[in-house]
Amino acid sequence: MKKKIVVENTLTPYIEHLRSLGYDVYTLYKNSNLENITSDEYKAIVVSGLDVLSTSGATHNKPPAPIIEVKGRTPEEIHSIIENKHI
């Protein structure tokens, strides 16, 4: 079974890296579909910055998956964080 993850659509290197590792990557378009992520089937939500969430008009009380910010991190580092958060 593939691992599902949500990644902001502008983070192409992260999307490609995670797909190459077997992840089923769903894209987040300007966080407008953040409220559609309602189940815990996703391992993480990867965004460019947490500030993007607050300025995009996205409404979310408690996302069902951890939100990981990529600022200053490589795709490999993000993968490591995802794997260490959820085993």
Side-chain angles (χ1 to χ4, degrees):
M1 184 164 110
K2 283 189 171 185
K3 301 173 204 170
K4 294 182 179 181
I5 193 156
V6 178
V7 181
E8 189 178 321
N9 68 311
T10 59
L11 301 174
T12 306
Y14 299 86
I15 293 169
E16 291 172 356
H17 182 70
L18 292 167
R19 280 189 177 144
S20 74
L21 295 171
Y23 282 87
D24 194 359
V25 178
Y26 291 81
T27 53
L28 185 63
Y29 292 96
K30 297 183 180 178
N31 305 313
S32 62
N33 55 340
L34 184 63
E35 63 274 0
N36 297 333
I37 303 168
T38 56
S39 75
D40 60 357
E41 66 185 314
Y42 301 101
K43 287 186 70 107
I45 300 168
V46 179
V47 297
S48 58
L50 296 178
D51 56 327
V52 174
L53 293 176
S54 62
T55 60
S56 68
T59 56
H60 63 285
N61 293 330
K62 184 172 190 274
I67 296 175
I68 301 172
E69 187 176 21
V70 302
K71 284 187 178 177
R73 297 183 175 129
T74 66
E76 294 80 10
E77 289 172 318
I78 294 301
H79 175 248
S80 177
I81 290 168
I82 292 166
E83 287 303 310
N84 290 326
K85 282 188 179 274
H86 291 279
I87 307 273

